[in-house]
């Protein structure tokens, strides 16, 4: 468990967080995720609970006694690279600092083991990541679904 500020804690994801995570995901459709990704996220959570995802670290932000935000990170196969996965905040808790606190923890942990972070996200979410220093490397029209583009980006922790 990581204390961030009073009333907020960041801890490892637990099986009992799943209903909250799925509710948060549904609340972010269709602006932040494509409809088909709900099943992908549900499958991801099932694999996470079954211990099938190895060293992937998935976290929960708890505020007011309830899970409100979720996100993970992992080491990519390419040398020195880490990646972010399935970061989301319950819609009713956007713009309250939960996503920023969660991302700061994820990047801090990743920087201990990786040289850079590779990210894919939507244009709507990319502004959030840009504030943390991410630089866009590619823009793919309809990359997630028709009308939902994909932005590829990177944050370098250490210079080569």
């Amino acid at each position: 468990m990581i204390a961030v500020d009073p009333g907020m804690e960041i801890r490892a994801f637990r099986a009992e967080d799943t209903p909250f995570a799925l509710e948060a995901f549904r609340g972010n459709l269709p602006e932040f995720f494509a409809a088909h990704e709900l099943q992908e996220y549900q499958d991801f959570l099932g694999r996470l609970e079954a211990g099938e995802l190895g060293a992937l670290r998935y976290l929960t932000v708890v505020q007011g006694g309830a899970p409100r935000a979720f996100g993970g990170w992992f080491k990519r196969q390419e040398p020195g690279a880490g990646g972010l996965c399935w970061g989301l905040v319950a819609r009713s808790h956007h713009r309250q600092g939960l996503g920023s606190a969660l991302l700061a923890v994820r990047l801090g942990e990743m920087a201990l083991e990786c040289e850079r972070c590779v990210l894919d996200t939507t244009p709507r979410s990319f502004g959030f990541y840009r504030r943390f220093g991410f630089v866009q490397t590619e823009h793919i029209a309809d990359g997630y679904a028709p009308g939902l583009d994909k932005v590829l980006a990177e944050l370098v922790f250490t210079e080569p």
Side-chain angles (χ1 to χ4, degrees):
M1 175 177 25
I2 300 164
V4 179
D5 70 36
M8 182 191 313
E9 71 177 69
I10 299 177
R11 59 161 170 77
F13 184 88
R14 301 176 186 158
E16 60 264 24
D17 297 338
T18 298
F20 295 95
L22 291 172
E23 181 181 331
F25 194 97
R26 285 184 196 100
N28 282 293
L29 291 171
E31 292 84 2
F32 296 96
F33 296 102
H36 70 84
E37 290 181 294
L38 176 58
Q39 185 62 54
E40 292 174 24
Y41 186 58
Q42 197 166 3
D43 293 345
F44 165 81
L45 294 176
R47 293 181 64 215
L48 182 68
E49 291 174 26
E52 298 174 5
L53 299 179
L56 181 137
R57 180 129 156 86
Y58 203 64
L59 304 169
T60 299
V61 178
V62 177
Q63 184 183 50
R68 307 284 188 207
F70 311 88
W73 74 273
F74 59 98
K75 287 177 77 171
R76 297 175 64 97
Q77 289 184 344
E78 54 195 275
L84 297 172
C85 66
W86 297 114
L88 59 127
V89 177
R91 186 67 168 256
S92 60
H93 289 79
H94 283 193
R95 301 196 163 280
Q96 295 179 17
L98 280 69
S100 295
L102 179 58
L103 182 60
V105 169
R106 293 157 73 197
L107 293 176
E109 290 180 358
M110 190 186 306
L112 297 174
E113 299 184 37
C114 302
E115 296 171 2
R116 68 190 191 288
C117 176
V118 178
L119 166 73
D120 66 272
T121 191
T122 63
R124 183 169 182 151
S125 296
F126 180 65
F128 169 78
Y129 292 101
R130 185 183 356 245
R131 293 193 331 250
F132 286 85
F134 280 87
V135 175
Q136 180 175 319
T137 58
E138 191 173 351
H139 184 115
I140 304 167
D142 301 327
Y144 289 111
L148 191 58
D149 293 357
K150 180 185 287 190
V151 171
L152 303 180
E154 182 176 81
L155 172 68
V156 175
F157 298 125
T158 58
E159 293 298 323

